[in-house]
Amino acid sequence: EMTKYYIVEVKYCGPNRNDAKHVDLERYEIMTTPPRIIATGEVCTGGYLGASRNTARYAHGVYDSLSAAEYALQTGPLRYQRFRRDPLDDFPYNVLAVYRPGRLPPMSDEALDQWLEYSVDISADDTHMDLVRQAGALRYEVEEEGYSVTMERMLSALEGLRDKARRGLDD
């Protein structure tokens, strides 16, 4: 019996989805045991497997080799994402490889807030479009530092700074 390789996507589906601490829960696992539907236990190689503890799982096919599964990750429906391979420190024995979306690890909320304190000048009268323009440029700078941050997270941080500036005017 030849070993088969299965791709399973793991996605956080609980509250506060844009929180940096949840970003790193998202991953693609290449496993040697067939994925099963959580509710019924039946084998499923394509589609939604169910969710438990704020984490949803999706099956993305069956492959004849590890390299075929890795190639599918890079060229299939997921090809528009950039991946980084994770060290396999705390995964079960049947998980052979783990890929995280994004080329770079996410910047923590604390680090982002600290970095923004020194990097930006947000004023009380900045419009939403001003913040959107700035967010795009700042995301690029964060990547230059070796980290990633989602557009939503960057925007909410900038809105927070603008609200703080507005409160400062009211005092």
Side-chain angles (χ1 to χ4, degrees):
E1 174 71 355
M2 293 284 295
T3 303
K4 297 286 187 191
Y5 300 83
Y6 306 87
I7 296 176
V8 172
E9 177 182 4
V10 179
K11 249 180 136 55
Y12 177 76
C13 60
N16 307 320
R17 244 173 276 198
N18 292 320
D19 237 332
K21 66 174 176 278
H22 302 311
V23 170
D24 222 31
L25 295 174
E26 303 206 350
R27 63 185 183 270
Y28 294 89
E29 298 175 352
I30 299 177
M31 333 172 38
T32 52
T33 51
R36 295 179 178 275
I37 293 172
I38 293 170
T40 64
E42 86 189 83
V43 167
C44 170
T45 59
Y48 182 60
L49 299 168
S52 69
R53 295 206 291 291
N54 290 335
T55 308
R57 297 175 68 85
Y58 304 84
H60 285 288
V62 53
Y63 303 90
D64 290 328
S65 67
L66 177 58
S67 58
E70 291 182 317
Y71 182 73
L73 260 188
Q74 319 283 333
T75 59
L78 314 170
R79 68 182 167 276
Y80 301 110
Q81 302 190 34
R82 291 181 293 190
F83 291 96
R84 60 187 202 284
R85 193 167 175 166
D86 236 33
L88 283 172
D89 298 332
D90 48 2
F91 286 97
Y93 71 93
N94 62 334
V95 174
L96 293 186
V98 172
Y99 284 83
R100 305 271 183 197
R103 191 168 52 86
L104 301 164
M107 184 179 262
S108 74
D109 290 346
E110 298 73 32
L112 179 62
D113 292 339
Q114 221 168 11
W115 184 77
L116 287 172
E117 287 288 320
Y118 298 102
S119 314
V120 298
D121 194 22
I122 299 287
S123 78
D125 41 297
D126 279 339
T127 67
H128 179 73
M129 276 322 292
D130 292 333
L131 298 184
V132 167
R133 270 192 295 276
Q134 214 166 346
L138 289 167
R139 282 183 68 205
Y140 180 77
E141 286 181 40
V142 166
E143 288 202 350
E144 296 285 290
E145 303 275 331
Y147 294 96
S148 65
V149 62
T150 65
M151 188 64 175
E152 297 84 0
R153 174 69 189 100
M154 180 62 83
L155 210 47
S156 84
L158 294 178
E159 285 165 351
L161 289 171
R162 181 189 60 194
D163 295 346
K164 200 164 138 183
R166 286 180 175 171
R167 281 195 303 278
L169 293 178
D170 299 338
D171 295 345

